[in-house]
Amino acid sequence: MDLSFTAEDQAFREEVQAFLRDHLPAGVRHKVLNGMHLERDDYLAWQHALHARGWGGPSWPEKFGGTGWSPVQQYIFDSTCSEAGAPRLVPFGLKMVAPVIMAYGNEAQHKRFLPPILAGEEWWCQGYSEPGAGSDLASLKARAVRDGDHYVVNGQKTWTTLGQYADWIFCLVRTDPEAKPQRGISFLLIDMKTPGVTVRPIITMDGAHEVNEVWLEDVRVPVENLIGEENKGWTYAKFLLGHERTNIAGIGIAKRELARLKRLALTEVREGRPLLEDPLFAVQVARLEIELTALEITNLRVLSAEAENRAPGPEASILKIKGSEIQQGILELMTEAVGLQALPYRREAMGAGYQGDYPVEGHALTPTMQYLNLRKLSIYGGSNEIQRDIISQMILGL
Amino acid sequence: MDFTFTDEQTMLFDMTTRYLGNEYGFEKRASIIASDAGMSEAVWRGIADLGLLALLVPEENGGAAAGPVETMLVMSAFGKALLVEPYLASAVVATSAIARLGDARQRETWLEPMGAGDLIAIVAHDEPHGGATRATAVGGGFLLDGRKTMVAHAGRAGLLLVSARSDDGAVGLFAVDPAQPGVKLVTYPTVDGGRAADVVLSQVHVADANRLGAGDVSEDLAAILDIGLAALCGEALGVLQRSLDATIEYTRTRKQFGQPIGKFQALRHRMADMLIHVEQSRSMAYLAAVRADEADVAVRERALSAAKVVVGEACRFVGQQAVQLHGGMGVTDELDVSHCFKRLFAIEKTFGSTREHLSRFSRALVA
């Protein structure tokens, strides 16, 4: 039993920190540390910088141009980057479709699709959820019918995050409507420029355009863009969801935001004293910090088990539930810290270079937007209620 | 980073678990609690024979010189069995106190029989309101006056280690024979099936040779109590796990509306939340064990307080929900779940409550 990182891990962390000092663009860092809105180019600039260093695929095996890092090294990399104010890696290509292509795609698909993901040259989005298929994903209806050497796809996908930037979408489609729901699904890669693909924004309650609807009308997809076998898509879909759940706890992000909360609570003054000296407020901050300490150790325990026997198991559900609750809790307290200043709504001030006449104190505007935005955490990626179902079935055997 | 246990540690845990499985069933425990002594001499002898009482005794005094991780493992096995014998009080806290503060003669005199199971020693530290215990210097020693409370199994102890404050404000630790003049024990059962006493001290004379350490030992005392707190977190883990296991088992077999009640989502989700509390507590019991003998006091206190908050909240939630999900059966004396509940209730209040540790941790945010 030893909770400290090895000297090797420590040296690795310092290497990552040094890289961050030299190569994380200052403007991007400023936005992340202050909870501001990130543009497509901000994400890409970071991916390009990592790629140039050979770190474009932190979770990828070396065989495909990745780093070949252990789960613990990946954790150190992710948390060190998050704490330093790096943007998250856009997961749809790197962490979602790429592992599926590696595991179930053919040689030609490896060559065609993996290098542009690594280099940040092609942006992917996810075509899983539909208006009628959310938590019950296997009930999806988007239909693909074989026509010569093409599939003709019709249907509607939704909650497509950053789909407005995407070059490609990976889709679950129904290829056998007669089979049991899980048996008749296939996994297709679709070029967003194909005629019949339409992206429509969904504006969320923070005023952001982050998610979209994607309409597919008589979209012709070459059969070589089928992953694996027809009607086996559910297997690949579940494999992908397993990978989506790595680093799901968001420890590094939570640490960064907790530090920001504390800075805020030291500068916000109530009755002549820093807010952090208000015992009632301090206790709420303390609770979150304590929960986060426990979750970090739980996360490391899961990683260590993972290092011994591969993909994250149902324990990842614990990380998802606690991680989302902690992040939401931190933002909730941040809005409380700024008091009445949580109410002025100036969305444009979240972008860089805001020159408006509202006196932005640097911190007072973004917490509310982030608080509104982060309500999604306990809903997406399998809602926290679905996670409790997974725990009770897979761990408790109920 | 390494979350595995050595082969020796695993064997220690397995051996303890096996012994308790054979010797400490529900009925056996019930008879021990109901007995006059409130503890079993046979069990005490049994765990002495396994070497467990000498786990924290230094090698030169015939012990295993093990550490907080071994203690956590043994304590989690004791927690799972709801052991009422004063292992924590004597083999962990008092043993650590003597090993840390005692001189060579004191260590030899007390630690060897303690490790062998021939002597029970208990630290008498907590005080009721107005119990402020004083040590007044007299020729060749001290006179102790005051009152201590919740001194575990004091009635069975051969040695009390009493903390008391001198006129100069320094806190000392004094060895007292419970049978000596001026010592009065007011014994009582505790809510969790244990035994304890108030120790009333009137002009109790302690020779210089029976004082442990020199000068003010309050920092040492805090470190010793943190060793106890880490061990207590280990015990909590065992009780929490037993509560959850019992609840899962019960809701799988208990049928209503034609199906096991564990199939109902409201109950399944509750049990998922219980598991999260247990796993977060496990993480913090590990942290507490690893930081229990940390030299940097601020780091140690932070970690130990954080651990007690997570564990304390788990004690409340898991205990209450285990009873709730057992329905009417949960509130009876007949099932182990109510006994778990009462032990968890006691743990939450021992070595500082959740509120006290949350308060300490949050004050340190601006320190």
Side-chain angles (χ1 to χ4, degrees):
Chain A
M1 173 79 39
D2 181 3
L3 300 191
S4 49
F5 288 103
T6 62
E8 222 175 14
D9 290 337
Q10 201 53 44
F12 175 65
R13 183 195 294 278
E14 282 160 23
E15 192 185 351
V16 175
Q17 283 167 337
F19 179 78
L20 285 157
R21 267 195 305 276
D22 296 341
H23 296 282
L24 175 61
V28 176
R29 180 173 179 275
H30 174 79
K31 286 184 185 178
V32 172
L33 290 183
N34 292 286
M36 293 161 76
H37 182 69
L38 291 173
E39 309 286 341
R40 177 177 187 268
D41 287 348
D42 295 327
Y43 291 110
L44 288 178
W46 181 229
Q47 180 65 27
H48 293 157
L50 289 173
H51 181 55
R53 174 67 177 77
W55 290 353
S59 56
W60 287 23
E62 287 174 276
K63 185 180 155 197
F64 295 107
T67 55
W69 286 336
S70 70
V72 171
Q73 284 176 308
Q74 291 176 46
Y75 172 85
I76 291 171
F77 177 78
D78 270 328
S79 55
T80 306
C81 288
S82 297
E83 283 182 71
R88 65 172 186 153
L89 299 179
V90 181
F92 314 106
L94 273 178
K95 291 185 181 177
M96 297 169 93
V97 76
V100 172
I101 293 174
M102 288 175 203
Y104 300 105
N106 57 38
E107 187 81 35
Q109 289 167 335
H110 291 170
K111 283 203 175 119
R112 166 61 189 86
F113 293 112
L114 296 177
I117 292 176
L118 203 59
E121 288 164 358
E122 283 180 348
W123 191 298
W124 283 79
C125 65
Q126 182 180 28
Y128 266 36
S129 295
E130 297 179 4
S135 293
D136 180 13
L137 183 60
S139 68
L140 61 91
K141 290 203 169 55
R143 186 80 172 89
V145 178
R146 183 76 181 256
D147 177 25
D149 54 2
H150 283 77
Y151 286 101
V152 179
V153 182
N154 279 283
Q156 186 192 349
K157 294 294 177 181
T158 192
W159 312 128
T160 314
T161 303
L162 302 181
Q164 69 268 36
Y165 302 149
D167 303 296
W168 285 81
I169 182 169
F170 55 92
C171 277
L172 293 181
V173 293
R174 189 159 300 285
T175 36
D176 183 355
E178 308 301 324
K180 280 188 176 174
Q182 286 86 349
R183 295 261 173 86
I185 292 171
S186 297
F187 195 106
L188 279 186
L189 313 180
I190 302 176
D191 186 336
M192 294 291 278
K193 290 187 294 295
T194 318
V197 178
T198 312
V199 180
R200 289 181 193 159
I202 299 172
I203 303 302
T204 43
M205 65 172 159
D206 55 335
H209 173 201
E210 192 172 62
V211 288
N212 302 273
E213 295 177 324
V214 176
W215 293 77
L216 304 161
E217 290 161 301
D218 292 329
V219 177
R220 293 184 69 80
V221 181
V223 289
E224 63 254 33
N225 290 354
L226 173 75
I227 292 289
E229 292 175 50
E230 200 177 272
N231 297 328
K232 292 273 177 69
W234 188 248
T235 306
Y236 318 144
K238 283 196 301 183
F239 175 82
L240 182 152
L241 291 174
H243 277 265
E244 185 189 4
R245 287 145 61 89
T246 58
N247 196 35
I248 201 163
I251 299 291
I253 296 174
K255 281 187 176 176
R256 179 183 76 215
E257 296 303 310
L258 184 71
R260 185 171 152 223
L261 169 64
K262 287 202 231 174
R263 286 198 304 274
L264 200 54
L266 280 171
T267 51
E268 286 285 332
V269 172
R270 298 286 189 283
E271 294 166 15
R273 287 186 313 161
L275 181 58
L276 200 55
E277 289 181 20
D278 172 353
L280 213 59
F281 194 85
V283 158
Q284 296 183 76
V285 176
R287 263 184 202 285
L288 288 166
E289 186 162 347
I290 289 168
E291 293 268 3
L292 181 56
T293 303
L295 188 65
E296 182 174 20
I297 299 170
T298 303
N299 195 357
L300 292 169
R301 284 170 50 209
V302 172
L303 284 179
S304 299
E306 199 181 313
E308 284 157 31
N309 44 31
R310 0 123 307 274
E315 294 78 12
S317 293
I318 297 175
L319 305 180
K320 162 79 204 298
I321 293 171
K322 289 308 290 185
S324 57
E325 287 177 354
I326 289 168
Q327 281 191 57
Q328 289 176 335
I330 292 170
L331 260 302
E332 191 177 326
L333 269 192
M334 251 190 255
T335 64
E336 199 169 313
V338 299
L340 209 52
Q341 292 307 306
L343 300 184
Y345 183 80
R346 285 284 186 275
R347 197 173 160 78
E348 63 276 20
M350 286 186 76
Y354 171 68
Q355 299 291 330
D357 57 0
Y358 186 82
V360 186
E361 296 290 334
H363 58 247
L365 282 177
T366 55
T368 296
M369 307 297 171
Q370 285 177 283
Y371 167 70
L372 298 176
N373 185 272
L374 289 190
R375 300 316 299 168
K376 71 188 177 189
L377 287 184
S378 48
I379 299 168
Y380 74 17
S383 72
N384 286 11
E385 288 69 31
I386 290 290
Q387 305 297 343
R388 288 186 171 87
D389 277 346
I390 293 172
I391 291 172
S392 62
Q393 284 163 22
M394 311 285 284
I395 303 180
L396 304 180
L398 289 164
Chain B
M1 194 164 25
D2 178 11
F3 290 97
T4 58
F5 299 107
T6 64
D7 289 347
E8 287 82 1
Q9 289 169 339
T10 304
M11 275 164 53
L12 180 69
F13 176 76
D14 290 346
M15 177 186 81
T16 310
T17 302
R18 202 163 42 241
Y19 173 79
L20 295 165
N22 294 332
E23 303 293 332
Y24 219 80
F26 185 77
E27 300 298 328
K28 174 77 176 288
R29 178 178 178 272
S31 72
I32 294 170
I33 292 173
S35 68
D36 286 344
M39 64 172 282
S40 161
E41 288 297 336
V43 168
W44 196 248
R45 181 63 49 205
I47 57 181
D49 290 346
L50 293 177
L52 299 179
L53 294 178
L55 209 56
L56 294 182
V57 172
E59 276 173 8
E60 62 265 32
N61 302 116
V69 174
E70 286 79 10
T71 302
M72 172 193 69
L73 287 169
V74 168
M75 286 297 295
S76 73
F78 287 157
K80 203 152 188 180
L82 293 170
L83 187 96
V84 295
E85 280 68 19
Y87 187 86
L88 174 62
S90 183
V92 179
V93 179
T95 299
S96 299
I98 297 168
R100 183 180 177 109
L101 288 171
D103 57 31
R105 186 197 57 82
Q106 291 170 333
R107 288 201 300 270
E108 193 186 317
T109 310
W110 295 321
L111 289 179
E112 292 184 18
M114 284 170 75
D118 297 328
L119 173 68
I120 290 173
I122 309 287
V123 172
H125 179 61
D126 290 320
E127 295 172 345
H129 291 298
T133 306
R134 315 284 307 178
T136 311
V138 291
F142 296 86
L143 285 177
L144 305 187
D145 287 281
R147 187 177 185 122
K148 296 290 180 178
T149 195
M150 273 301 294
V151 182
H153 287 274
R156 313 299 297 176
L159 177 68
L160 298 174
L161 304 172
V162 179
S163 61
R165 194 178 290 279
S166 316
D167 293 335
D168 61 4
V171 173
L173 194 62
F174 303 90
V176 170
D177 178 346
Q180 81 182 75
V183 180
K184 188 180 142 207
L185 300 186
V186 182
T187 61
Y188 37 78
T190 54
V191 66
D192 53 348
R195 297 295 166 92
D198 275 19
V199 177
V200 186
L201 305 144
S202 326
Q203 300 281 294
V204 176
H205 184 264
V206 180
D208 279 331
N210 281 340
R211 180 183 188 183
L212 288 87
D216 183 78
V217 298
S218 41
E219 281 180 23
D220 297 283
L221 215 44
I224 291 156
L225 295 176
D226 275 350
I227 300 264
L229 172 49
L232 185 71
C233 290
E235 183 189 353
L237 212 49
V239 189
L240 289 166
Q241 190 68 56
R242 178 165 172 173
S243 305
L244 177 59
D245 291 347
T247 306
I248 291 167
E249 185 55 31
Y250 184 79
T251 59
R252 265 181 172 159
T253 47
R254 167 73 176 168
K255 286 187 179 160
Q256 289 288 274
F257 305 103
Q259 57 176 326
I261 60 173
K263 290 287 173 200
F264 293 111
Q265 197 177 42
L267 273 62
R268 289 194 316 187
H269 282 195
R270 200 79 54 77
M271 285 181 272
D273 286 334
M274 290 165 75
L275 176 85
I276 293 173
H277 274 286
V278 173
E279 291 306 324
Q280 291 280 80
S281 295
R282 191 181 312 281
S283 293
M284 292 310 259
Y286 290 178
L287 179 71
V290 168
R291 295 276 180 272
D293 47 15
E294 161 75 42
D296 184 329
V297 176
V299 170
R300 188 192 80 219
E301 289 190 343
R302 238 177 100 74
L304 272 285
S305 279
K308 188 66 199 304
V309 170
V310 171
V311 168
E313 293 194 334
C315 287
R316 288 273 175 95
F317 185 84
V318 173
Q320 290 174 357
Q321 296 308 322
V323 167
Q324 176 70 21
L325 269 53
H326 275 77
M329 288 307 294
V331 299
T332 68
D333 192 50
E334 295 167 25
L335 294 192
D336 49 357
V337 64
S338 66
H339 297 269
C340 290
F341 179 90
K342 289 188 282 186
R343 183 60 196 145
L344 291 171
F345 175 79
I347 288 173
E348 198 273 329
K349 302 198 180 313
T350 303
F351 294 129
S353 67
T354 307
R355 185 196 58 76
E356 288 165 308
H357 283 284
L358 190 53
S359 181
R360 180 167 91 168
F361 189 99
S362 63
R363 281 196 306 273
L365 288 178
V366 280

